[in-house]
Amino acid sequence: MSLEPARSPIEQRLAEAGLPALPRTAWLELDLDALQGNLAIVRELAGPGVPVRPVVKADAYGHGAVPITLALEEAGADGFCVAAYDEALELREGGVRAPILVLYRVAGTWAADAAGLGIALAVGDGPGVSDIVGAAAGIDPARPLAVELEVETGLGRGGFAETELVAAARALAAAPGIALTGLWTHFQAIEDAANTAIQVERFEAAIRALTAAGIDLPPRHAAASAGLMTGEVVPYDGVRPGLAIYGLVPDEIGGAISQQGHAARLRPVMSLIARPVRVADLPAGWGISYGPTFRTARPSRIATLPVGYGDGWSRRLSNRASALVRGVRVPLVGNVAMDAVMADVTDVPGIPVDGQDEFVLLGSSGDARITAEELARERTTNTWEVVTGMARRVPRVYHAAARPVGLRTLTER
C-alpha cells in the first residue's frame, strides 16, 4: 500500500490558475484530457468517417453540460444529443455551435425557435408529426426545421412501427418548412444478442420500407456505447455514445470486457473530492449521525465530510461505502445526512488526519480507486444514476494537463 503525497490545497491550485475560490470544501474534479481521449477511442470504435455525436443530456451525465460539450466540440465531436429542449438551449447559450438533436418529443410551440437555432427535433408518433407539421407552416424553407424519425424496434418506449413510418415520413417531406434529417432507434439490452439481432432486423425493415416508398433515406444511427463496444450494432451513418465518453463501461457489458481492448483504455472523467469540516476524537460508544446506526466500538477519530444526499451521495450508502485518504481506504460510518457523511480515520498511518487532508469518494488516491461501478453496486442501482445524480450545487473544477482550467458553481459559469 502506498501513501499518496499531499497535493497543494485546492485554494492554492485555483488561485494559481486565476480562478475563484470554492464556496465549500467538497467538489467534483473533471479531467478534460481524459474526456477528449475517450472521444478519440470512440472514434476508433465507430470507424473512419463515421460522425460521433456524444450524448450530453442530464447535465452531461452530471459532469457539467456546457464545459463538457465545449471541450468535446473543441476536440472535434460532430454534434450532440440531449433529451430535453431546454438542454439544447443551455448549450446554444453557452456557445456550442455544433448540431444538436433533442431525442424526446418537443411541443410544436418551439419549432420555429429550434429552426432558427439549428436544433433538430425527434418525433416518434402521429400526433407529434401533426404538431410539428402544423407549427412549421411559417418557417422559412431556406432554413427549415431539421426533424429526425425514431423507429420502434422493441424498446417499447417510443418511435414509429414500420407500418406507420412511411406515412410519417411523407407528411414531413410534404411540409415546406421541414427537412427530414435522420432515422434512428435505440436498443433494449445489447447483452442479449438474440434480442438485439431482432431489433436490428426491424430497423433494417424500416429502412427498406422507406426506400421502397421512394423516400430519400436520411442518415441513420443506432449505436450507443454498449453497441459500439460489443460490435453488436453497425455504426450506420453516425453513433451517439453516452457513458463511454465519460470513461465508463455500460453495466450490462462490464466485467471482463472492461479489462480488455478499447474499454480498458477509457479513463473516468469524474472524481468526487472533499476536505473535512471537522475532525474530532470521540470516545467509545459515541453515536454517529442521525439515528444513530453506528456507534464507535473504541476511541475513534471521526472526520466530517461536507457531502450528503443533497449532493447526490445516496442515503443508501449509509454504513456501506468508503473514502480514500492518503491512498488508504477508510469506512464511511453512520447515516448519510443531507449535507454530511462521516469517515472513521482512526487507523490511517502517520500523523493524525486533519482538516487539510483531501478525501476521495469517487476516483483514485495512490494505488486505490473507488469506481462509479462500485458505488452503483452498493446502491443497487446503475452507473448512470451515480454520475447523473451529482447535484448542481456541487462545484465542478475542470482540469487539463493536471491543472485547473475552469470552474462551475451555482454562481460561476
Side-chain angles (χ1 to χ4, degrees):
M1 181 185 300
S2 66
L3 296 183
E4 185 179 45
R7 298 193 294 174
S8 300
I10 184 64
E11 293 84 359
Q12 179 180 335
R13 283 177 270 147
L14 290 172
E16 289 172 350
L19 296 170
L22 291 178
R24 59 188 298 196
T25 58
W27 66 95
L28 290 169
E29 293 192 0
L30 295 311
D31 185 342
L32 299 182
D33 294 329
L35 179 79
Q36 295 180 343
N38 296 336
L39 175 62
I41 291 168
V42 169
R43 281 203 180 281
E44 293 177 22
L45 286 166
V50 176
V52 176
R53 302 182 181 95
V55 180
V56 291
K57 63 183 179 178
D59 200 27
Y61 286 39
H63 293 63
V66 171
I68 289 294
T69 307
L70 287 173
L72 289 168
E73 186 174 51
E74 180 184 354
D78 300 287
F80 302 97
C81 300
V82 295
Y85 188 65
D86 52 354
E87 292 180 321
L89 291 179
E90 180 186 20
L91 297 183
R92 283 287 183 256
E93 291 171 1
V96 175
R97 295 291 171 256
I100 301 171
L101 168 64
V102 182
L103 295 169
Y104 280 76
R105 180 175 168 181
V106 175
T109 307
W110 296 101
D113 187 60
L117 291 170
I119 296 171
L121 305 183
V123 64
D125 63 7
V129 169
S130 299
D131 187 25
I132 290 293
V133 168
I139 294 176
D140 182 357
R143 296 189 63 190
L145 171 68
V147 176
E148 299 204 7
L149 286 170
E150 180 183 3
V151 181
E152 168 66 274
T153 60
L155 181 60
R157 189 175 70 183
F160 290 99
E162 179 191 340
T163 55
E164 306 168 320
L165 185 64
V166 170
R170 282 177 172 156
L172 293 174
I178 290 176
L180 180 57
T181 59
L183 186 74
W184 63 281
T185 194
H186 201 48
F187 293 94
Q188 187 175 62
I190 287 292
E191 69 278 16
D192 184 339
N195 187 65
T196 299
I198 292 171
Q199 284 197 260
V200 169
E201 173 50 33
R202 287 173 180 158
F203 191 52
E204 290 288 342
I207 292 168
R208 291 193 296 268
L210 290 181
T211 302
I215 296 170
D216 291 337
L217 195 63
R220 304 151 297 166
H221 51 100
S225 295
L228 282 168
M229 289 184 184
T230 60
E232 294 291 335
V233 183
V234 297
Y236 289 108
D237 307 305
V239 298
R240 46 175 205 277
L243 208 60
I245 287 292
Y246 308 101
L248 303 170
V249 177
D251 298 18
E252 64 269 26
I253 61 166
I257 198 170
S258 66
Q259 305 301 318
Q260 60 191 20
H262 291 82
R265 295 165 51 205
L266 295 173
R267 294 165 52 202
V269 174
M270 177 187 288
S271 298
L272 175 60
I273 317 292
R275 213 168 56 208
V277 292
R278 187 186 87 149
V279 181
D281 292 309
L282 301 177
W286 204 265
I288 304 298
S289 191
Y290 297 112
T293 56
F294 178 89
R295 289 186 181 276
T296 56
R298 57 179 177 169
S300 301
R301 192 165 180 82
I302 303 295
T304 301
L305 308 179
V307 175
Y309 58 77
D311 303 297
W313 189 260
S314 173
R315 197 169 188 271
R316 189 170 179 82
L317 292 172
S318 298
N319 298 301
R320 303 180 67 169
S322 305
L324 305 174
V325 58
R326 303 180 191 169
V328 176
R329 186 177 284 256
V330 298
L332 298 179
V333 297
N335 285 332
V336 176
M338 185 180 294
D339 310 299
V341 67
M342 276 57 73
D344 185 342
V345 296
T346 310
D347 295 329
V348 176
I351 62 173
V353 169
D354 62 22
Q356 298 307 305
D357 279 288
E358 287 187 3
F359 287 69
V360 177
L361 291 89
L362 170 65
S364 60
S365 175
D367 297 329
R369 170 171 286 278
I370 295 173
T371 66
E373 294 87 347
E374 174 186 335
L375 295 176
R377 287 192 300 270
E378 293 296 339
R379 288 173 53 177
T380 62
T381 184
N382 62 23
T383 304
W384 290 264
E385 186 175 6
V386 170
V387 291
T388 61
M390 295 297 172
R392 183 87 180 190
R393 74 173 184 172
V394 183
R396 271 77 169 163
V397 181
Y398 296 90
H399 285 72
R403 292 181 297 182
V405 295
L407 174 66
R408 193 191 82 176
T409 67
L410 289 176
T411 58
E412 292 281 342
R413 294 181 64 87

